[in-house]
Each structure stands twice: as C-alpha cells, then as structure tokens.
Amino acid sequence: MRALSALLLSVALAAPLSAPVFAQDAPAPMITVTGEGVVEAAPDIATLTIGVTTQGDTAAAALAANSAALDAVLARLKAAGIEPRDMQTSNLSLNPNWTGYDTAAPKISGFVASNMLTVRVRALDSLGAVLDASVADGANTLNGLTFGLANPDPVLDEARKEAVANARAKAELLAEAAGVKLGKVVSISETAGYQPPMPMFRQDAASAAPPVQGGELGMTATVTIFYSIAE
C-alpha cells in the first residue's frame, strides 16, 4: 500500500512537467505606412497681443495711469468694431523702478504698471485699422500677431482624406514591389496640426494704419495605417 501511494505521488508530481506546450502563433504579416495631407486655406481670424505700460511717482499713480490708458484703448477698439467677447486683459503687473544700482544704496524711483490685452479680429480687412486704434490711446507694446481659422474642421477633414489616400498609394506600391497582395486595414492612427503663416507687412503711404497680409494656413494631417497582407 505504501509503495502504491509513493507511485501515485510521483505520477502527480510528474504530470505538470509532461503537460503539452503550445507554440505561440506568429504575428500576422502586415504593411505599415504613414501618409500626410496638407490643405492650404486663407485665415479668417487674427489674434494680437498688445500691452499698456505706464509710470508714476507712486504705485497708485502708475496703476491709475495704466487703467486710464487701457480704458481708452478698449473704447477705441470697440469703436473699431471689436466685440467685448473678443478682448481679454491679462498679466497685470506693478513693479518698483529701481535706480542707482552702481551705488551702495539703490533706491526706488517711481513705479511701472503693465497690462496685456489679447484681441481677436474677425474681420481681417480691418486689422490694420485695429492696430492703429490700439496704439492711438496708450497701447505701446505689440507682443504677437497670429492668424487662424474660426472653424478649421472642414479644412482639416480634407487634409485627413489626402493623408489616407497618400498612405494607401504608398501601401499599394510597397505591396507590388514585394510581390504580395494588399489586404484590409487593420488599424489607423492620426496626428494633426497646422503650419501657421507669417504675417507680412507692407508700406502704404496713403494710410497711417499698418496694412497686414495674412498669407495662408497649411492644415496638416498625418495618419499611420496598418494593412494586412492578403493570402
């Protein structure tokens, strides 16, 4: 009986070791390609960042002068057709103006107040006039001017179509060169973006407003597609 028990135990211990081992399936052969599509479109909106910087003997005087100048800028921009929803103030700062760093005792010589204003211009033909209006009553800093599309989706969709067609053409070429038949799409992934235009300025003696040309935006879509190889 004891010998039989030992035999059964040895069989139980050996059973897992003798279990069948299944080989993993090899990955299915695929063709991987990346396609890109670019569609250019004229911008229909501009965003500019202007600033108002003022000085005063006291902090209160500098801040009051800044507020008055900014109020005048806002009023002038509203008169130029900019809606309140398209104007946003930010980055208000108030700092002492230190002088005498070359001496042993630097001192505060007045205060400097600064405020930034972001403005969206939806009528690009009025952009030059808006720039002129913004500096007429106190704006003394221009920190940036960018162009964009109010609704970029239709243009981006066309770029996506071009990217997929570009990827398909590459996959067909690779399949033909390799002597195989292109199968179905296994997966698609996408990255998208745009190429911002550089604002172009030109001289115009007939107008004090700086004319600006928006150029074109290049909306770019990139897709990566995995195709199976048909049997």
Side-chain angles (χ1 to χ4, degrees):
M1 185 66 179
R2 182 176 298 176
L4 179 60
S5 299
L7 178 61
L8 292 175
L9 178 60
S10 64
V11 172
L13 293 174
L17 299 178
S18 61
V21 177
F22 297 97
Q24 294 183 348
D25 294 335
M30 288 186 295
I31 294 178
T32 305
V33 289
T34 298
E36 184 177 82
V38 180
V39 176
E40 294 183 346
D44 56 12
I45 191 170
T47 302
L48 61 95
T49 304
I50 58 178
V52 176
T53 301
T54 54
Q55 297 183 358
D57 293 335
T58 65
L63 191 58
N66 191 275
S67 298
L70 187 60
D71 286 342
V73 171
L74 291 171
R76 184 66 69 97
L77 290 175
K78 290 178 182 178
I82 304 299
E83 299 181 17
R85 66 181 178 128
D86 290 328
M87 294 183 288
Q88 184 178 46
T89 59
S90 61
N91 297 331
L92 175 63
S93 64
L94 179 63
N95 298 293
N97 183 25
W98 290 93
T99 59
Y101 281 106
D102 54 343
T103 66
K107 63 179 181 178
I108 295 175
S109 179
F111 291 81
V112 177
S114 179
N115 204 341
M116 303 305 298
L117 179 66
T118 301
V119 183
R120 286 183 298 186
V121 182
R122 300 179 186 274
L124 292 187
D125 56 351
S126 67
L127 181 56
V130 170
L131 286 168
D132 185 48
S134 65
V135 301
D137 287 312
N140 45 27
T141 304
L142 175 61
N143 279 359
L145 172 61
T146 59
F147 294 92
L149 297 171
N151 182 18
D153 289 342
V155 179
L156 189 53
D157 286 345
E158 290 302 315
R160 290 186 178 110
K161 293 178 182 179
E162 286 194 5
V164 172
N166 179 248
R168 177 77 186 189
K170 289 181 180 180
E172 290 175 347
L173 178 62
L174 291 174
E176 181 181 357
V180 296
K181 184 177 180 181
L182 194 65
K184 296 180 179 180
V185 173
V186 177
S187 68
I188 301 177
S189 61
E190 179 217 12
T191 58
Y194 74 97
Q195 300 170 355
M198 296 297 295
M200 296 184 294
F201 299 87
R202 60 182 173 84
Q203 295 290 336
D204 190 342
S207 173
V212 179
Q213 297 176 352
E216 284 189 333
L217 290 167
M219 302 297 293
T220 304
T222 304
V223 297
T224 300
I225 305 180
F226 292 79
Y227 288 93
S228 64
I229 296 178
E231 296 296 336

